[in-house]
Amino acid sequence: GESVGLHLPTLSVQEGDNSIINCAYSNSASDYFIWYKQESGKGPQFIIDIRSNMDKRQGQRVTVLLNKTVKHLSLQIAATQPGDSAVYFCAENKGSGTYKYIFGTGTRLKVLA
Amino acid sequence: KAGVTQTPRYLIKTRGQQVTLSCSPISGHRSVSWYQQTPGQGLQFLFEYFSETQRNKGNFPGRFSGRQFSNSRSEMNVSTLELGDSALYLCASSPANYGYTFGSGTRLTVV
């Protein structure tokens, strides 16, 4: 399928290593954040979310860290696998009642065999 | 259960024409959002509907419109198509306003 973004920052990681994908968000009023994974030719797939009253949330092989002081999110993927190769987006919801999400530009993760 | 279904998957239109894209949300989901995705601009919010009411709209010209039906299905329409409207149009649904599930999108090419 057509690439999601032609000039995305790319993170190359060896299979089995841990990956850390970073995202800076724009609005200190944002209170809900989501990480999405998008594979070629598909729509974004929900990975994990976190609310602003939390600093860390863990899922299966994934952890999201939220630093509200510097408005920074990170997604950590443990034991990265070839199937993790995709573009990863963070999305912020700018406060209750706005009903829209602002997406980051995305990071392409390449897993090297 | 079935996911978010978008039709058609691919579409080619000529400049000046109009187009209607369809989205069937996950059963029970009442919130439907639309996004435009392009390599240059990334994912851009178009609008969101809940119970047939538009609750928020992104910064797109009036040529972009949408609606939601009583069964939560949604359509978006783009009139007077321009080359720059070529994009992947994504629909997402949610029970309320969190944890949106996306469809695979409709790829629109304007020639």
Side-chain angles (χ1 to χ4, degrees), chain A residues 19-86:
Chain A
S19 303
I20 300 177
I21 300 171
N22 296 304
C23 175
Y25 63 93
S26 60
N27 193 328
S28 55
S30 293
D31 61 3
Y32 179 61
F33 306 87
I34 307 176
W35 278 100
Y36 282 96
K37 169 187 179 183
Q38 188 172 24
E39 297 172 284
S40 183
K42 298 183 180 179
Q45 176 188 354
F46 175 93
I47 302 173
I48 192 168
D49 59 0
I50 188 168
R51 295 196 177 276
S52 59
N53 60 353
M54 302 172 70
D55 297 324
K56 178 179 179 178
R57 189 159 189 231
Q58 289 183 290
Q60 186 176 13
R61 281 202 309 119
V62 295
T63 301
V64 56
L65 299 178
L66 174 63
N67 185 330
K68 295 181 287 292
T69 302
V70 295
K71 294 188 288 185
H72 183 268
L73 271 173
S74 68
L75 177 70
Q76 301 177 3
I77 304 173
T80 310
Q81 302 169 359
D84 295 327
S85 292

Side-chain angles (χ1 to χ4, degrees), chain A residues 2-8 32 34 36 38 41-46 49 51 89 93 95-105, chain B residues 9-10 33 35 37-40 42-45 47-48 55-59 88 90 96-105 107:
Chain A
E2 184 173 322
S3 62
V4 169
L6 298 180
H7 302 291
L8 292 175
Y32 179 61
I34 307 176
Y36 282 96
Q38 188 172 24
K42 298 183 180 179
Q45 176 188 354
F46 175 93
D49 59 0
R51 295 196 177 276
F89 295 95
N93 182 241
S96 300
T98 56
Y99 312 117
K100 74 177 189 180
Y101 287 79
I102 305 300
F103 280 77
T105 53
Chain B
R9 284 282 279 133
Y10 301 92
S33 295
Y35 288 81
Q37 186 173 33
T38 60
L43 279 146
Q44 300 286 316
F45 173 79
F47 23 68
E48 187 265 355
R55 297 195 294 188
N56 209 338
K57 190 176 189 303
N59 297 323
L88 180 67
L90 291 159
N97 183 35
Y98 54 88
Y100 278 91
T101 301
F102 280 84
S104 296
R107 182 161 300 282

Side-chain angles (χ1 to χ4, degrees), chain B:
Chain B
K1 57 182 179 182
V4 178
T5 304
Q6 292 189 245
T7 56
R9 284 282 279 133
Y10 301 92
L11 207 49
I12 300 176
K13 290 286 189 178
T14 306
R15 269 184 305 175
Q17 286 187 313
Q18 74 162 13
V19 67
T20 299
L21 311 181
S22 180
C23 172
S24 293
I26 290 172
S27 179
H29 286 193
R30 296 168 65 187
S31 173
V32 174
S33 295
W34 288 89
Y35 288 81
Q36 180 196 64
Q37 186 173 33
T38 60
Q41 298 296 318
L43 279 146
Q44 300 286 316
F45 173 79
L46 281 157
F47 23 68
E48 187 265 355
Y49 289 88
F50 184 87
S51 293
E52 302 179 68
T53 299
Q54 185 183 89
R55 297 195 294 188
N56 209 338
K57 190 176 189 303
N59 297 323
F60 280 82
R63 299 184 297 107
F64 291 81
S65 63
R67 59 178 176 169
Q68 187 181 34
F69 302 95
S70 58
N71 61 359
S72 293
R73 192 177 69 84
S74 178
E75 289 181 346
M76 67 163 281
N77 184 277
V78 187
S79 62
T80 320
L81 284 164
E82 301 176 0
L83 295 178
D85 297 332
S86 294
L88 180 67
Y89 290 88
L90 291 159
C91 167
S93 75
S94 163
N97 183 35
Y98 54 88
Y100 278 91
T101 301
F102 280 84
S104 296
T106 293
R107 182 161 300 282
L108 172 66
T109 302
V110 182
V111 297

